[in-house]
Amino acid sequence: MKILVINCGSSSIKYQFYSLSENRILAKGIVEKIGMKGSFLKHEKESGQKVLFEGEILDHKIGIEYILGVLSSVKHGCIGSLNEINAVGHRVVHGGEEFSESVFITDEVMHALEKFNELAPLHNPPNLKGIYALKSLVPDVPQVAVFDTAFHHTMPQHAFMYAIPHALYKKYGIRRYGFHGTSHKYVSNRACEILGVDPSTVKVITCHLGNGASACAIRNGKSIDTSMGFTPVEGLIMGTRSGDIDMGAVTYIMDKERIGTKSASTLFNKHSGLLGISGISSDSREIRAAADKGDERCLLAVKMFDYRIKKYIGAYAAAMGGLDVLVFTGGIGENSDITRTGVCEGLEFLGIEIDQNLNEGLRGEERIIGKRDSRVKVMVVPTNEELMIAIDTQNIVTELFK
Ligand code: AMP
């Protein structure tokens, strides 16, 4: 089965085209700067050869037309006609309380998704634009939505509720939803596969550390808590997001700086985190480099980043009543041996011990990096959300048309 995986952002569309039965990625690429000057499509063939198409890509529909065009083009494509696309899987950020798993997209599902635009105003509207575009361009191809929130549906109420008047939960759905679910699910399952253990028998903490970052407590294969909340700003320190902060400080800053909700949201989502602390960059590599040269604020940023993750690991071990597997993923988790060391330092009492011979220099590869006899298996597992979306899409479509 050939499956096109689509991830629509506000001004970009990432895609990967899979032949799952053959375990191949036939093509992948990205459309960038949609609706801006200088928009383009960067396409990569299975051979690794790259092509660039510049053009006026005014909206998501035109972006999708470019993608379908290049996939079926004689010169750069990998299919003879669009009929060879068996299904499309979309990354959809918010599935609200309604969608606890991936779903075949019908008109009713699209209506239901419109409701979540308010909950994820930056992400869900472009996700929907991609769905509408494909529906109009290839109406006979089945489409599936795979939600970032779905994996966290198993969180118990005492973990997902905020201690605010219950009426606000009822009226606006104010609760913790969690995000990065597709990644947490993929890496925890993959870790269990590598270890040869049944996910339903172990306690796992996954740390997705990228520009966005979150931790997840997974007991017996189910998410029971995660660090992102109503929005992705809660929890760990991220590239530009503050993570946890006393909301008293938020209202105080708004008062003192005389700013409204929009500016406050920009402040805590776009100017905080590693960028805010360091004053230099949101990119952990640049911060590390400056910290190595003795920059005080970068040193502090690095310490705060590691410390926050360590606290969550302790909290989640307590929430699950133990820990068997700790997994690092995301750009930082997969590539930064120093971060992994900083996070795990002092957690020997929990059974977390890194073997530096296995950890040092490890980038983007699956590996157990814990000491052989340590109680907790510490691992690096590169995330692969696109593959997870392709697999879910294949499963749903196969079930539907069997
Ligand atoms: P992501 O959002 O998952 O793409 O991750 C982005 C983050 O990963 C940035 O902070 C990068 O600095 C970090 N990152 C990417 N490659 C490396 C690397 N080789 N070593 C350290 N950090 C890296």
Side-chain angles (χ1 to χ4, degrees):
M1 193 180 267
K2 288 186 182 138
I3 293 167
L4 177 61
V5 173
I6 293 281
N7 181 355
C8 283
S10 55
S11 62
S12 70
I13 307 171
K14 291 189 197 129
Y15 63 95
Q16 292 207 7
F17 190 47
Y18 284 90
S19 173
L20 276 185
S21 47
E22 299 170 293
N23 209 4
R24 287 164 65 194
I25 300 175
L26 303 174
K28 60 183 175 184
I30 185 164
V31 177
E32 283 194 68
K33 297 195 172 183
I34 295 172
M36 301 176 205
K37 256 194 188 155
S39 44
F40 61 87
L41 162 68
K42 215 181 333 176
H43 180 76
E44 188 178 329
K45 298 191 204 182
E46 193 177 13
S47 62
Q49 193 192 345
K50 294 184 179 119
V51 230
L52 185 78
F53 299 94
E54 287 167 316
E56 267 192 70
I57 307 177
L58 297 175
D59 58 27
H60 285 73
K61 187 167 174 199
I62 299 176
I64 298 279
E65 274 172 350
Y66 266 69
I67 294 169
L68 297 179
V70 72
L71 287 175
S72 56
S73 85
V74 176
K75 195 158 175 209
H76 303 293
C78 49
I79 46 176
S81 91
L82 295 179
N83 293 334
E84 287 183 44
I85 302 176
N86 299 109
V88 179
H90 292 267
R91 176 189 185 210
V92 179
V93 167
H94 218 303
E97 287 201 306
E98 218 156 307
F99 295 106
S100 56
E101 48 193 38
S102 305
V103 65
F104 173 63
I105 301 174
T106 59
D107 288 348
E108 292 83 66
V109 169
M110 288 204 274
H111 286 308
L113 290 179
E114 302 262 357
K115 285 191 300 204
F116 307 132
N117 281 353
E118 261 187 36
L119 290 178
L122 296 179
H123 297 102
N124 266 42
N127 297 160
L128 265 169
K129 280 183 191 166
I131 294 172
Y132 279 116
L134 276 144
K135 190 175 155 60
S136 74
L137 294 166
V138 281
D140 295 331
V141 177
Q143 299 194 61
V144 168
V146 179
F147 302 98
D148 268 20
T149 48
F151 183 56
H152 303 301
H153 257 258
T154 43
M155 280 195 285
Q157 206 176 17
H158 63 259
F160 74 64
M161 291 295 281
Y162 290 114
I164 56 172
H166 196 73
L168 293 170
Y169 165 61
K170 287 278 173 214
K171 207 166 163 187
Y172 303 117
I174 308 289
R175 50 158 284 182
R176 311 183 61 257
Y177 291 98
F179 299 89
H180 285 153
T182 311
S183 174
H184 289 299
K185 182 176 169 186
Y186 173 78
V187 297
S188 59
N189 283 343
R190 182 72 196 125
C192 290
E193 210 170 83
I194 295 166
L195 293 170
V197 295
D198 177 353
S200 71
T201 61
V202 284
K203 295 164 180 150
V204 183
I205 295 176
T206 46
C207 298
H208 179 116
L209 311 176
N211 197 29
S214 67
C216 186
I218 302 161
R219 187 170 59 204
N220 304 339
K222 294 189 162 67
S223 166
I224 64 142
D225 207 345
T226 190
S227 57
M228 284 177 168
F230 178 65
T231 75
V233 80
E234 191 181 349
L236 304 182
I237 292 169
M238 309 179 213
T240 61
R241 296 188 190 117
S242 64
D244 296 337
I245 179 171
D246 179 358
M247 57 78 57
V250 174
T251 49
Y252 188 85
I253 292 166
M254 289 173 75
D255 268 353
K256 287 285 181 195
E257 295 282 315
R258 295 175 190 277
I259 56 171
T261 49
K262 226 175 175 168
S263 303
S265 174
T266 306
L267 173 64
F268 295 108
N269 278 291
K270 302 239 186 272
H271 300 298
S272 297
L274 294 176
L275 175 63
I277 309 161
S278 70
I280 285 183
S281 170
S282 62
D283 189 301
S284 77
R285 279 169 295 194
E286 288 175 25
I287 293 171
R288 284 281 171 198
D292 287 346
K293 288 189 190 134
D295 184 293
E296 299 265 330
R297 276 168 62 185
C298 289
L299 278 165
L300 177 64
V302 162
K303 274 198 175 156
M304 287 172 68
F305 184 81
D306 296 353
Y307 177 66
R308 181 77 56 89
I309 301 163
K310 194 194 299 271
K311 281 212 295 191
Y312 268 92
I313 292 172
Y316 287 168
M320 293 192 290
L323 178 63
D324 301 307
V325 187
L326 173 65
V327 187
F328 288 99
T329 194
I332 303 171
E334 291 166 25
N335 294 302
S336 174
D337 47 7
I338 307 177
T339 302
R340 296 188 294 255
T341 303
V343 169
C344 293
E345 227 162 43
L347 294 182
E348 295 77 10
F349 77 100
L350 277 178
I352 295 172
E353 286 177 90
I354 285 190
D355 180 339
Q356 288 303 347
N357 292 323
L358 300 170
N359 179 48
E360 266 175 30
L362 178 67
R363 298 202 199 299
E365 252 179 70
E366 291 177 344
R367 189 184 289 173
I368 301 170
I369 58 166
K371 286 191 180 157
R372 194 187 273 265
D373 54 355
S374 73
R375 210 157 12 93
V376 173
K377 300 282 173 219
V378 186
M379 302 177 72
V380 173
V381 179
T383 194
N384 197 339
E385 290 160 284
E386 291 79 12
L387 177 62
M388 190 86 235
I389 294 171
I391 292 170
D392 265 18
T393 303
Q394 171 164 278
N395 290 343
I396 285 180
V397 171
T398 309
E399 186 64 25
L400 212 67
F401 295 103
K402 78 175 179 193

